[in-house]
């Protein structure tokens, strides 16, 4: 009976340790995922800003070209 009690206690310790390890790994995975999502968001925003800058430059060049055409006409 004593051996059974000790075995049960050991099993409970093993299960508790496994649960702690799982919780730790889940927390680590969540942190890594948050970091990856943040990096993707920054990269996407950077691309959008860069694209917007190109569009503005292109429109500015177009306006300048049109103004020159009008003056020449």
């Amino acid at each position: 009976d004593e051996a059974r009690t000790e075995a049960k206690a050991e099993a409970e310790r093993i299960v508790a340790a496994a649960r702690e390890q799982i919780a730790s790994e889940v927390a680590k995975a969540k942190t890594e995922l948050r970091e990856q999502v943040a990096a993707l968001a920054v990269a996407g925003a950077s691309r959008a800003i860069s694209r917007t800058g190109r569009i503005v430059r292109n429109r500015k060049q177009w306006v300048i070209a049109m103004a020159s055409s009008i003056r020449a006409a």
Side-chain angles (χ1 to χ4, degrees):
D1 207 29
E2 184 178 328
R4 182 175 286 166
T5 302
E6 287 179 25
K8 186 175 179 181
E10 179 64 18
E12 288 173 358
R13 282 192 293 274
I14 292 170
V15 169
R19 285 188 177 141
E20 287 178 23
Q21 184 177 358
I22 290 168
S24 174
E25 289 177 13
V26 166
K28 181 180 175 186
K30 285 180 180 180
T31 299
E32 290 174 4
L33 184 57
R34 278 190 209 100
E35 290 171 357
Q36 290 173 0
V37 167
L40 288 172
V42 168
S46 177
R47 284 190 204 115
I49 290 168
S50 177
R51 183 172 185 265
T52 301
R54 283 193 305 273
I55 290 169
V56 169
R57 282 190 301 279
N58 290 342
R59 286 185 182 165
K60 182 179 176 183
Q61 290 171 353
W62 180 82
V63 168
I64 291 168
M66 294 307 289
S68 296
S69 295
I70 291 170
R71 279 191 221 127

